[in-house]
């Protein structure tokens, strides 16, 4: 009750003012819910002086009635509000006291929900796919057991090229069983693809330019040590369209390097040789670990080799019936494991295929 | 290839450092993998402490029989005459020697100090070839030519310290497999001046002409387009001079004797492999380049007897093969310490034939490594001249006039190509001025006729790789430097994206990870006997894997026909490393011959086929899905865990499976527990996979005793039907009514059958029927079990009342009783 109202009350109905003072004191003094109920009954109960007074208002002098009626009701409302407020206060205090007694060890581990891990190779391939899908590429797939034609011949690899030898390439025994070893060597039709490039040829056979594809998948070469496993994964990209240039290749590769490795990255393009591209290049990205100063990871060169690439050799267009004077294109290829190793600092290629969960769960 | 920097500088006027030339080469297409510094530490201060000296006096050490006490003149400016104690005895007073002064640091890191050796002061050291790094072991100090100037820096005469560039060469550039070839690259890439070829012949010729001593026949011109020899007489075989040993050693070859060393030196410098025959050992005075006879044998220099075939070229005399041509010599006609007269061969062999011979014999030599790339026949005369001059200078030989040269292919024409400078701009993506393009081509020793927009360019014979306009464009591009090309992105006219199956594959992977499984990738090849324990019956296509003709090991001999062995291998790897039993999945292909894929006619022999490569999802559970935790809640893995994983996976790609006992199909999955396995069918493709407990004996056969393993395999055909578009269903405004029924039925009545019947019998109002309890035991009769069914009913039009509910319940109970004799519990 504000001071002005209180002053009015004291002046015009001093009896009510006294009742209010006594009642509010009793309510505010109550220090538990039982005491509060007692105070409420004493102040606002049916037999309380206030209620009895209001009930007998008709017996009063008609001139006094409106004044006492109005002030009486004000006093009752105010007291009721005080009871409500005090009750809330006491309940909160009681709950606070009870909560204060409840304590758990919040440092114990949470309920473990199972959550598995995507193999790092899958993760890496997914990241690469997403980058190129964002650039407008489709993801193409093809067989792993492949024909010599798609793996070598149509990729401009000469018949005597060492890569075709039984030393480097896994050859498949044809379905006819029990061929003598000597025949197997001569009978070279079917092999395990040594790169994902045959997919490019298959796609070009199936569709006219423009072609914007990446092919990802398993490839196989006869090599096994800390830096080679007989099976590994490759990503290759192919673009064939009108007016494609080496500058487009550089721009694409730089975009990819920054998306994949993160940050502002520099690339370096060196001339190289591959049978299926002309000109051919190798691409390096600057080493973040040492900032280009040279460290073990970049063999003290400041650069990390990430891919081989180049402009599609016009001979390839001959195999698939494209017009080399009308379209041009670029292709690039990289090892998925190598990309993952560079990005995550993995020292040994074989870790990828041991499938030790202590390895799998790190990524 | 190893290129000593000092040697390279003999042929090109390069003013920069080794690091700079390495960078130049790398950025112009000849990758330098590294620079090795050999010899003494290279700072000029240190190198100035290696000088030419002359032994003034040599006496016996007063206190040691095996040591000499010498005075050595090292030149006025180096301190005059030094007293040096030496342990070697292959020299005398007056000899010119290599001296390292006190303070010099040797290759080994040893720093020389004035020392007291058995009571006598020694100030400096006379060096051996071993200490100079030219020989693995040397018996004494090196005695230098008498005319070397005393007091001069040794490095004026010998590479005391050398930077060796390690080059990674590409197979298309046979011209780069020589120091001179690399010098030519340096000149082309930098504009530095190239020295003339180092192939000047001997100043003096003498004796009978070559053809008086040797005749040459080539009976296999296809394998041997050119075969030429010269004759050198009166040679003295012996040690090579230090500079030659240094060059060979730094380039990675071992010095043998002066005759062999010269042939190797010329090969390294000029790129033409040579072979020196001892003329006295050539029967019949005739060399024949012929095909080997099938089964013919030769004992090569390493003492191994090799069987040859008739696709291999040998150089023979009238009796026997002397050399596997271009690859490896035999003992029979090699030069030795008694050799005086030499027939020197320089030949051109078919690269493809050399490559084949290398593969079949397993031999690779410095020479064959060059021949296999296909060398320029024009290298031949220069190589012979170069070597003959050195034979005359270093081995005391007299070079006979004339060369016997059988050149069946005839002189090589320079190739002439059309070239459009505008095409180069279009392919590289930026303009290079035409005169600049012409200048680059000329640096490569091309002749350029710049008339019009289509030029004519003639290519030197040592560049067989330049066959087309695009090859020249690459040359222009790389000499201009690819850093000059701008970076742009193609202007796309097509949209990217993943196909539906590719999206499903990702969703399946996410779902399986969500269940707590870790993804593995195992090798596609397995051991041939890895399929045995699975118990497939004869004729099963999974027993006829794709076999490798040349596997690397028996463990990786055939392509997998099922993911199970690979997954069990991954489980075992983890168990063996004391990891918790893992729960794994793999999405990969299996390889089957059951429905061979015909090869396109243009790509293979008629009738050629490829195997089918269906994609499969493999799931293996070997332990609890959630790790043990402090609240104590843990669920052991069983069939229902696996089924839950399969259900969750299908649900994630908007599919629902129907599960049924294997029944007749059990024979196709003999590795599964017959009573705890099911097949799952999916609308649209039918049978989509199997799941179940793996038989304990099968698990044990893979080295996993006492481990309970569950396995599921799902067909990749799911990818084709999954992730269909979901259509909205009304939520329903009225509350559901729920009725629980406990029905007792025979044990072998399948829950799915009861549920299906209850749904049908209950009618439209039934929204869902599910099992909430299964009980077997004392409370129900033997052979029976009680199933708690929760029936959820809902109407789209109104709140259901007691009558509706009772009616549905009655219909369900009646149907279950009628069909299965079910009673309410």
């Amino acid at each position: 009750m504000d001071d002005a109202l209180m002053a009015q009350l004291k002046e015009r109905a001093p009896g009510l003012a006294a009742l209010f003072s006594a009642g509010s004191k009793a309510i505010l003094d109550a220090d538990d819910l039982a005491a509060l109920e007692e105070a409420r009954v004493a102040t606002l109960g049916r037999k309380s002086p206030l209620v009895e007074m209001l009930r007998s208002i008709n017996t009063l002098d008609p001139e006094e009635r409106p004044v006492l009626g109005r002030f009486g009701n004000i006093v009752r409302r105010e007291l009721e509000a005080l009871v409500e407020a005090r009750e809330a206060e006491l309940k909160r205090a009681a709950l606070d006291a009870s909560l204060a007694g409840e304590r758990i060890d919040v440092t114990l581990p949470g309920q473990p929900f199972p959550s598995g891990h995507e193999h790092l190779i899958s993760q890496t391939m997914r990241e690469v796919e997403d980058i190129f899908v964002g650039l407008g590429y489709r993801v193409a797939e093809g067989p792993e057991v492949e024909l010599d034609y798609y793996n070598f011949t149509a990729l401009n690899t000469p018949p005597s090229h060492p890569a075709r030898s039984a030393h480097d390439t896994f050859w498949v025994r044809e379905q006819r069983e029990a061929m003598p070893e000597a025949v197997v060597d001569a009978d070279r039709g079917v092999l395990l693809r040594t790169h994902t490039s045959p997919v490019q040829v298959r796609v070009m056979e199936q569709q006219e330019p423009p072609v914007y594809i990446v092919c990802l998948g398993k490839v196989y070469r006869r090599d096994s040590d800390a830096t080679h496993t007989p099976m590994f994964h490759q990503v290759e990209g192919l673009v064939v369209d009108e007016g494609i240039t080496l500058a487009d290749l550089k721009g694409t590769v730089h975009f990819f390097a920054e998306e994949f490795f993160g940050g502002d990255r520099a690339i370096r393009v060196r001339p190289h040789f591959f049978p299926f591209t002309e000109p051919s290049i190798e691409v390096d990205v600057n080493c973040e670990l040492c900032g280009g100063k040279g460290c073990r990871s970049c063999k003290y060169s400041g650069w990390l080799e990430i891919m081989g690439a180049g402009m599609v050799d016009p001979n390839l267009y001959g195999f698939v019936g494209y017009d080399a004077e009308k379209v041009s294109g670029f292709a690039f290829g990289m090892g998925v494991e190598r990309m993952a190793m560079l990005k995550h600092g993995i020292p040994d290629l074989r870790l990828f295929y041991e499938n030790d969960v202590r390895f799998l769960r790190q990524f | 290839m190893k290129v000593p920097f000092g040697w390279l500088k003999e042929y090109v006027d390069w003013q920069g450092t080794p690091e700079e030339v390495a960078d130049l080469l790398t950025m112009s297409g000849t990758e330098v993998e590294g620079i090795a510094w050999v010899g003494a530490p290279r700072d000029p201060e240190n190198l100035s402490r290696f000088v030419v000296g002359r032994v003034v006096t040599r006496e016996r050490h007063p206190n040691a029989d095996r040591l000499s006490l010498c005075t050595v003149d090292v030149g006025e400016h180096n301190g005059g005459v030094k007293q040096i104690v030496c342990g070697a005895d292959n020299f005398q007073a007056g000899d010119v020697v290599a001296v390292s002064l006190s303070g010099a640091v040797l290759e080994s890191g040893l720093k020389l100090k004035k020392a007291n050796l058995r009571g006598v002061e020694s100030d400096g050291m006379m060096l051996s070839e071993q200490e100079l790094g030219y020989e693995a072991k040397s018996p004494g100090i090196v005695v230098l030519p008498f005319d070397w100037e005393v007091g001069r820096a040794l490095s004026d005469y010998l590479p005391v310290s050398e930077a060796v560039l390690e080059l990674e060469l590409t197979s298309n550039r046979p011209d780069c497999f020589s120091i001179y070839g690399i010098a030519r690259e340096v000149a082309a890439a930098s504009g530095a001046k190239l020295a003339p070829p180092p192939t000047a012949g001997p100043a003096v010729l003498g004796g009978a002409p070559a053809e008086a001593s040797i005749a040459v026949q080539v009976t296999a011109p296809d394998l041997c387009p050119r075969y030429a020899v010269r004759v050198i007489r009166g040679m003295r075989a012996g040690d090579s001079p230090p500079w030659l040993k240094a060059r060979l050693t730094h380039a990675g070859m071992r010095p043998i004797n002066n005759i062999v060393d010269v042939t190797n030196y010329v090969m390294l410098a000029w790129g033409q492999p040579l072979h020196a025959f001892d003329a006295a050992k050539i029967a019949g005075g005739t060399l024949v380049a012929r095909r080997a006879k099938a089964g013919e044998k030769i004992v090569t220099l390493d003492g191994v007897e090799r069987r040859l075939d008739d696709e291999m070229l040998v150089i023979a005399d009238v009796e026997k093969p002397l050399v596997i041509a271009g690859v490896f010599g035999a003992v029979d006609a090699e030069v030795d310490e008694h050799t005086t007269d030499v027939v020197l061969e320089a030949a051109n062999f078919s690269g493809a034939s050399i490559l084949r011979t290398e593969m079949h014999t397993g031999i690779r030599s410095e020479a064959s490594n060059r021949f296999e790339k296909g060398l320029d026949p024009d290298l031949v005369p220069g190589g012979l001249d170069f070597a003959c001059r050195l034979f005359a200078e270093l081995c005391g030989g007299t070079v006979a006039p004339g060369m016997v040269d059988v050149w069946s292919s005839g002189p090589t024409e320079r190739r002439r190509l059309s070239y459009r400078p505008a095409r180069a701009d279009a392919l590289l993506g930026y303009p290079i001025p035409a005169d600049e393009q012409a200048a680059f081509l000329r640096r490569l020793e091309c002749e350029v006729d710049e008339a019009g927009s289509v030029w004519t360019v003639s290519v030197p014979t040592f560049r067989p790789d330049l066959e087309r306009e695009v090859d020249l464009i690459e040359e222009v591009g790389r000499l201009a430097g690819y850093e000059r090309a701008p970076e742009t992105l193609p202007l796309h006219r097509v949209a990217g994206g993943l196909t539906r199956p590719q999206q499903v594959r990702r969703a399946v992977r996410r779902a399986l990870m969500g269940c707590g499984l870790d993804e593995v990738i195992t090798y596609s090849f397995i051991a041939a006997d890895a399929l045995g324990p699975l118990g497939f019956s004869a004729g099963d296509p999974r027993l006829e894997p794709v076999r490798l003709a040349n596997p690397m090991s028996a463990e990786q001999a055939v392509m997998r026909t099922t993911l199970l062995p690979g997954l069990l291998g991954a489980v075992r790897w983890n168990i063996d490393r004391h990891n918790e039993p893992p729960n794994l999945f793999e999405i990969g292909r299996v390889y089957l011959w059951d429905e061979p894929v015909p090869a396109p006619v243009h790509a293979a022999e008629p009738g050629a086929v490829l195997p089918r490569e269906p994609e499969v999802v493999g799931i293996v559970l070997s332990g609890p899905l959630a790790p043990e935790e402090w609240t104590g809640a843990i669920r052991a893995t069983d069939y229902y865990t696996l089924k839950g994983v399969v259900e969750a996976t299908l649900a994630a790609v908007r599919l629902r499976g129907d599960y049924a006992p294997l029944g007749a199909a059990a024979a196709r999955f003999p590795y599964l527990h017959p009573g705890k396995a099911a097949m799952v069918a999916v609308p649209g493709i039918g049978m989509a996979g199997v799941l179940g407990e793996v038989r304990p004996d099968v698990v044990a056969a893979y080295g996993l005793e006492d481990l309970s393993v569950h396995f599921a395999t799902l067909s990749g055909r799911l990818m084709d039907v999954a992730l269909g578009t979901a259509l909205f269903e009304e939520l329903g405004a009225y509350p559901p009514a729920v009725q629980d029924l406990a029905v007792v039925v025979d044990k072998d009545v399948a829950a799915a059958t009861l549920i299906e019947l209850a749904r049908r019998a209950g009618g439209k109002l039934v929204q869902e029927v599910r099992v909430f309890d299964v009980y077997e035991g004392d409370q129900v009769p033997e052979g029976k079990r009680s199933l708690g069914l929760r029936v959820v009913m809902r109407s789209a039009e109104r709140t259901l009342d007691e009558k509706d509910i009772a009616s549905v319940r009655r219909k369900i109970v009646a149907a279950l009783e009628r069909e299965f004799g079910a009673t309410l519990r």
Side-chain angles (χ1 to χ4, degrees):
Chain A
M1 188 178 301
D2 62 37
D3 293 349
L5 189 62
M6 191 65 196
Q8 238 181 0
L9 180 64
K10 275 186 177 164
E11 190 196 319
R12 308 209 26 200
L16 276 173
L19 280 178
F20 178 75
S21 297
S24 61
K25 182 168 186 322
I27 289 162
L28 293 175
D29 284 352
D31 54 7
D32 60 30
L33 287 169
L36 179 63
E37 179 60 12
E38 223 170 275
R40 188 189 68 80
V41 170
T43 319
L44 293 162
R46 281 200 303 184
K47 291 180 181 156
S48 63
L50 175 65
V51 173
E52 290 201 335
M53 190 209 84
L54 287 172
R55 202 183 295 137
S56 59
I57 201 155
N58 290 342
T59 64
L60 292 179
D61 179 343
E63 279 179 23
E64 277 185 310
R65 263 186 233 165
V67 177
L68 286 179
R70 186 164 74 89
F71 281 110
N73 277 318
I74 288 173
V75 165
R76 183 161 65 177
R77 272 203 311 276
E78 289 286 335
L79 288 172
E80 278 168 355
L82 280 177
V83 168
E84 210 170 289
R86 184 61 184 160
E87 184 180 0
E89 215 172 282
L90 287 173
K91 277 189 172 161
R92 188 179 161 79
L95 183 60
D96 282 350
S98 131
L99 292 182
E102 296 171 10
R103 278 278 155 81
I104 58 164
D105 179 357
V106 297
T107 66
L108 278 170
Q111 177 182 344
F113 289 94
S115 81
H117 294 255
E118 187 177 20
H119 196 286
L120 184 55
I121 287 174
S122 297
Q123 283 182 47
T124 308
M125 295 207 292
R126 184 168 47 75
E127 287 171 29
V128 174
E129 279 174 5
D130 287 346
I131 293 168
F132 283 103
V133 163
L135 278 175
Y137 290 59
R138 297 224 157 235
V139 178
E141 296 170 23
E144 294 169 19
V145 182
E146 191 42 290
L147 296 166
D148 171 288
Y149 176 83
Y150 288 114
N151 194 75
F152 290 128
T153 307
L155 289 162
N156 208 26
T157 310
S160 63
H161 196 279
R164 291 180 116 127
S165 73
H167 183 263
D168 293 333
T169 297
F170 287 108
W171 293 88
V172 165
R173 261 175 221 262
E174 286 198 41
Q175 211 180 351
R176 308 195 296 276
E177 216 9 77
M179 278 188 296
E181 292 291 327
V183 180
V184 170
D185 186 48
D187 194 350
R188 288 186 179 168
V190 181
L191 47 77
L192 301 189
R193 67 179 181 192
T194 61
H195 44 190
T196 42
S197 315
V199 182
Q200 303 183 355
V201 182
R202 285 176 175 271
V203 169
M204 286 193 284
E205 276 187 354
Q206 297 294 320
Q207 80 171 79
E208 289 295 315
V211 174
Y212 290 85
I213 53 163
V214 280
C215 335
L216 303 92
K218 293 186 169 82
V219 300
Y220 304 86
R221 292 185 196 170
R222 293 190 79 246
D223 235 338
S224 188
D225 56 38
T227 54
H228 298 91
T229 44
M231 178 184 92
F232 60 103
H233 293 74
Q234 258 194 353
V235 183
E236 292 202 352
L238 173 73
V239 168
V240 183
D241 202 346
E242 287 170 17
I244 296 295
T245 69
L246 183 87
D248 291 332
L249 170 57
K250 269 182 76 177
T252 302
V253 167
H254 197 171
F255 176 85
F256 167 75
E258 293 195 339
E259 287 286 305
F260 183 81
F261 290 105
D264 254 350
R265 306 299 290 244
I267 59 157
R268 185 175 83 158
V269 168
R270 289 178 284 105
H272 199 70
F273 169 69
F274 303 107
F276 25 87
T277 47
E278 188 81 15
S280 300
I281 58 172
E282 276 187 339
V283 182
D284 303 332
V285 62
N286 64 323
C287 180
E288 283 268 289
L289 288 175
C290 62
K293 286 197 287 291
C295 62
R296 226 171 54 138
S297 185
C298 59
K299 292 195 209 148
Y300 304 96
S301 70
W303 295 97
L304 301 167
E305 185 187 320
I306 55 165
M307 67 168 80
M311 303 305 291
V312 177
D313 192 296
N315 286 2
L316 263 65
Y317 298 139
F319 284 102
V320 298
Y322 287 6
D323 183 348
E325 284 293 310
K326 274 178 74 178
V327 293
S328 55
F330 62 73
F332 55 84
M334 52 201 153
V336 176
E337 286 80 353
R338 177 170 171 76
M339 307 291 287
M341 288 166 93
L342 289 177
K343 186 166 174 172
H344 302 278
I346 295 162
D348 190 324
L349 186 58
R350 289 171 289 207
L351 284 164
F352 287 106
Y353 299 108
E354 287 168 355
N355 296 305
D356 192 311
V357 292
R358 292 168 298 170
F359 175 78
L360 301 175
R361 290 175 185 165
Q362 288 181 25
F363 305 102
Chain B
M1 189 173 72
K2 288 182 160 67
V3 174
F5 181 62
W7 197 351
L8 181 65
K9 282 196 9 159
E10 286 183 24
Y11 302 142
V12 61
D13 182 24
W14 175 258
Q15 297 296 326
T17 62
E19 287 85 354
E20 286 164 347
V21 85
D23 196 48
L24 176 88
L25 284 168
T26 294
M27 295 311 290
S28 62
T30 311
E31 190 177 349
V32 179
E33 291 202 309
I35 302 177
W37 289 91
V38 298
R42 59 187 151 124
D43 62 284
E45 176 91 24
N46 188 47
L47 293 184
S48 72
R49 298 197 177 98
F50 292 81
V51 298
V52 179
R54 184 186 303 277
V55 181
V56 182
T57 61
R58 179 191 168 186
E59 288 160 18
R60 232 175 65 187
H61 190 290
N63 306 323
D65 285 353
R66 305 202 4 224
L67 295 180
S68 311
L69 178 59
C70 307
T71 53
V72 180
D73 181 2
V74 294
E76 224 30 67
H77 58 286
N78 293 323
V81 175
K82 304 274 183 186
Q83 176 170 293
I84 297 176
V85 173
C86 178
D89 62 357
N90 64 327
F91 68 102
Q92 53 202 4
D95 279 349
V96 175
V97 293
V99 179
S100 52
L101 303 173
S102 295
V105 181
L106 303 182
E107 183 172 25
S108 61
L110 176 76
K111 182 168 182 172
L112 286 182
K113 284 182 261 182
K114 272 188 202 176
N116 189 303
L117 294 174
R118 299 234 179 167
V120 177
E121 188 185 75
S122 181
D123 182 9
M125 179 172 160
M126 288 186 274
L127 298 168
S128 68
E129 289 176 320
Q130 185 182 343
E131 281 142 0
L132 283 164
Y134 307 160
E135 286 277 24
K137 229 178 154 72
S138 47
I141 61 166
V142 59
V143 177
L144 301 172
F146 66 91
D147 56 350
W148 287 15
E149 193 184 318
V150 170
R152 271 185 74 167
L154 193 57
S155 54
D156 289 351
Y157 298 99
L158 284 176
V160 177
S161 175
E162 183 69 280
V164 179
L165 309 181
E166 184 63 53
L167 269 51
E168 168 84 22
L169 297 171
T170 54
S171 61
N172 63 324
R173 292 293 304 274
D175 62 304
C176 283
F177 284 77
S178 69
I179 312 288
Y180 191 77
I182 296 302
R184 196 152 43 201
E185 274 294 297
V186 172
S190 68
K193 193 168 158 39
L194 181 69
T199 52
V204 181
L205 304 173
E211 54 265 36
S213 300
I214 191 75
V216 170
Q217 292 170 16
V218 177
T219 64
D222 53 331
L223 305 186
C224 178
R226 189 171 192 182
Y227 195 88
V229 294
R230 294 193 67 165
V231 173
I232 307 93
R233 305 191 182 92
M235 302 239 269
R236 288 183 303 276
D239 230 13
S240 291
W243 67 266
L244 179 51
K245 288 185 183 174
R247 287 291 190 235
L248 292 179
T249 308
H250 291 160
M253 292 191 83
R254 207 161 43 87
I256 311 275
N257 63 43
N258 53 1
I259 299 174
V260 174
D261 290 354
V262 163
T263 61
N264 285 334
Y265 179 80
V266 170
M267 171 178 70
L268 294 172
W270 181 239
Q272 170 65 51
L274 302 171
H275 192 86
F277 295 91
D278 186 332
K281 299 180 185 169
I282 301 173
T286 302
L287 288 176
V288 186
R290 62 165 168 85
R291 283 186 148 74
K293 296 163 192 145
E296 194 169 16
K297 286 176 190 151
I298 185 169
V299 179
T300 45
L301 279 170
D302 53 1
V304 179
E305 185 183 83
R306 319 239 175 205
R307 270 178 84 90
L308 306 176
D309 66 40
D310 59 6
E311 284 299 308
M312 297 177 186
L313 185 74
V314 293
I315 310 303
D317 57 18
V318 296
E319 293 171 356
K320 59 196 175 300
L322 304 174
V323 181
I324 306 174
V327 178
F328 210 12
V331 160
D332 301 311
E334 288 304 302
V335 296
D336 57 32
E337 65 272 25
H338 308 299
T339 299
T340 58
D341 296 357
V342 162
V343 172
L344 180 67
E345 162 204 291
N348 190 269
F349 300 122
S350 144
S353 155
I354 295 287
L355 200 57
R356 183 185 174 280
T357 305
E358 283 177 320
M359 280 171 196
H360 280 72
T361 59
I363 312 171
R364 238 171 113 89
S365 60
E366 286 279 348
S368 67
N369 182 37
R370 285 172 172 76
F371 281 126
E372 71 173 36
K373 312 283 186 304
L375 293 178
D376 177 8
D378 281 351
L379 287 173
V380 164
L384 289 173
D385 279 345
F386 191 173
C388 286
R389 171 165 52 87
L390 293 176
F391 281 149
E393 288 173 8
L394 304 177
C395 315
T398 302
V399 180
M403 162 171 82
V404 180
D405 184 4
V406 180
W407 193 356
S408 49
S409 61
T412 323
E413 291 272 328
R414 281 175 76 100
R415 191 179 284 123
R416 294 162 70 82
L417 303 174
S418 295
Y419 181 79
R420 294 164 294 173
R423 179 75 183 161
D425 296 349
L427 202 62
L428 298 174
Y430 73 105
I432 302 176
D435 52 350
E436 204 184 342
Q437 296 197 30
F440 287 136
L441 293 171
R442 292 201 174 97
R443 275 198 209 166
L444 296 167
E445 302 182 27
C446 291
E447 289 159 15
V448 185
D449 176 359
E450 287 167 83
S453 60
V454 183
W455 301 351
T456 302
V457 177
S458 102
V459 177
T461 57
F462 59 78
R463 289 299 302 273
D465 58 312
L466 302 183
E467 297 177 294
R468 303 159 301 166
E469 178 185 52
V470 69
D471 301 321
L472 297 177
I473 292 174
E474 174 170 51
E475 295 299 299
V476 168
R478 75 179 178 96
L479 292 183
Y482 290 139
E483 67 278 6
R484 267 174 72 175
E487 291 183 6
T488 53
L489 286 177
L491 297 167
H492 285 248
R493 295 181 285 148
V494 291
L498 295 179
T499 61
R500 177 75 60 82
Q502 287 163 351
Q503 294 171 34
V504 174
R505 191 185 295 145
R506 288 185 174 194
V508 165
R509 190 178 279 133
R510 274 198 304 274
L512 288 164
M513 290 192 287
C515 292
L517 276 61
D518 291 314
E519 187 188 17
V520 298
I521 298 181
T522 67
Y523 284 119
S524 306
F525 17 58
I526 57 176
D529 58 13
L531 294 164
L534 299 180
F536 296 130
S537 32
D540 191 307
R542 289 166 297 182
L543 274 183
E544 300 294 331
V546 173
R547 291 171 196 279
L548 299 182
N550 55 340
M552 291 190 79
S553 69
E555 294 304 302
Q556 302 180 334
V558 304
M559 302 301 278
R560 64 190 178 193
T561 55
T562 154
L563 298 183
L564 184 54
L567 284 167
L568 289 175
V571 170
R572 176 148 183 213
W573 176 278
N574 282 286
I575 301 273
D576 285 352
R577 273 146 198 85
H578 311 288
N579 298 336
E580 293 293 315
N583 299 305
L584 308 171
F585 74 95
E586 178 167 16
I587 303 178
R589 299 180 187 181
V590 295
Y591 310 83
L592 295 165
W593 280 124
D594 55 355
E595 293 161 34
V597 183
V601 283
H602 66 279
E605 300 284 307
V609 289
L610 290 175
R612 196 162 66 88
E613 299 179 18
E615 188 166 42
V616 182
V617 181
I619 298 167
V620 63
L621 305 183
S622 71
L625 277 179
E628 199 171 355
E629 51 145 336
W630 57 270
T631 60
I634 189 160
R635 190 191 194 287
T637 292
D638 57 17
Y639 167 83
Y640 299 106
T641 316
L642 178 66
K643 185 174 174 187
V645 169
V646 172
E647 284 170 332
T649 304
L650 293 177
V653 293
R654 291 206 273 278
L655 292 175
R656 227 182 63 88
D658 288 316
Y659 300 81
L662 288 179
R668 286 172 53 205
F669 303 96
Y671 54 82
L672 292 178
H673 185 305
K676 296 183 179 174
M679 53 187 175
V680 53
V682 163
I685 58 170
M687 172 145 161
V690 294
L691 59 154
E693 183 178 330
V694 182
R695 288 173 59 106
D697 54 345
V698 171
V699 174
Y702 289 92
L704 293 165
E705 274 84 8
D706 303 324
L707 190 71
S708 160
V709 174
H710 288 79
F711 173 70
T713 172
L714 299 176
S715 163
R717 286 182 303 151
L718 289 174
M719 316 268 175
D720 301 328
V721 295
L723 279 186
T725 306
L727 293 176
F728 175 72
E729 279 177 45
E730 281 299 337
L731 304 183
Y734 301 94
V738 176
Q739 281 285 298
D740 286 350
L741 307 170
V743 294
V744 177
V745 287
D746 285 349
K747 237 187 206 173
D748 57 3
V749 175
T753 320
L754 284 183
I755 288 172
E756 183 50 36
L757 180 61
R759 275 176 158 284
R760 251 189 303 127
K764 276 210 318 246
L765 293 179
V766 174
Q767 197 174 35
E768 190 191 352
V769 178
R770 66 173 180 266
V771 176
F772 69 92
D773 178 50
V774 179
Y775 175 79
E776 277 176 58
D778 298 343
Q779 307 294 312
V780 294
E782 180 80 14
K784 305 249 180 200
R785 65 173 175 171
S786 160
L787 288 170
L789 299 181
R790 178 154 300 159
V791 182
V792 181
M793 295 161 252
R794 197 197 281 267
S795 159
E797 286 105 36
R798 60 195 164 84
T799 302
L800 298 176
D801 61 20
E802 286 304 317
K803 256 174 59 194
D804 300 320
I805 296 167
S807 152
V808 169
R809 184 188 167 98
R810 203 165 45 242
K811 283 192 262 180
I812 291 177
V813 169
L816 293 180
E817 190 183 350
R818 189 172 62 245
E819 296 284 330
F820 299 115
T823 54
L824 284 181
R825 189 156 76 101

